[in-house]
Amino acid sequence: METLFTRLEEASHAGDVNSLKELLNQDKHLLEKVNGRTSVGDNPLHIAAMLGHADFVREVIYCKPELVKELNGQGLSPLHLATAHGHVTVVKELLMDGSDLCLISEEQEGLLPLHIAVKKRTVIVKE
């Protein structure tokens, strides 16, 4: 039987904002309960940020802004994942509430999102 958590993970992978809203209508606290429940150990914001789903990222931040500071099983924030994959629009969405997210270092090597962008040779900001 498909659980709400499985459906949330699928919506995150697809960037399906409508599915996210439907799931939150079924359980308004779903994003608060999601810690560690996805098959890959990422929260929905990690998944959407890594895949470049800016609209989904925006909606998750609106519903549960605390998720922007959570680290996944590899010690990476959503901002680390977005920078590593070169998703400029997602990076800008994540930084809307404050640039202090730039100071969150990943756990293994202590790298900031900017370090990861340079390491991956990803251009992050274009004006």
Side-chain angles (χ1 to χ4, degrees), residues 36 40-43 46 70-77 81 107-108:
V40 292
D42 294 327
N43 71 39
H46 289 113
E70 280 193 13
L71 303 181
N72 67 6
Q74 290 77 41
L76 301 171
S77 71
L81 296 169
E107 291 180 344
Q108 292 180 1

Side-chain angles (χ1 to χ4, degrees), residues 45-46 48-50 54 57-58 60-61 65 67-69 77-83 87-102:
L45 192 56
H46 289 113
M50 179 176 57
V57 166
R58 186 178 310 112
V60 171
I61 292 171
L67 291 179
V68 298
K69 294 185 179 186
S77 71
L79 184 59
H80 285 98
L81 296 169
T83 57
H87 299 303
V88 176
T89 305
V90 173
V91 169
K92 289 179 180 181
E93 287 296 330
L94 290 166
L95 293 175
M96 284 286 201
D97 287 338
S99 60
D100 62 326
L101 294 176
C102 292

Side-chain angles (χ1 to χ4, degrees), residues 11-71:
S12 302
H13 281 279
D16 189 343
V17 175
N18 290 330
S19 290
L20 173 62
K21 289 179 179 181
E22 289 174 19
L23 291 166
L24 292 174
N25 282 335
Q26 292 176 40
D27 182 350
K28 65 180 180 178
H29 300 291
L30 183 61
L31 289 174
E32 296 166 12
K33 300 174 187 175
V34 78
N35 278 349
R37 301 245 183 162
T38 63
S39 64
V40 292
D42 294 327
N43 71 39
L45 192 56
H46 289 113
I47 295 168
M50 179 176 57
L51 296 174
H53 299 308
D55 292 336
F56 194 93
V57 166
R58 186 178 310 112
E59 188 65 26
V60 171
I61 292 171
Y62 174 77
C63 295
K64 183 141 174 63
E66 300 85 16
L67 291 179
V68 298
K69 294 185 179 186
E70 280 193 13
L71 303 181

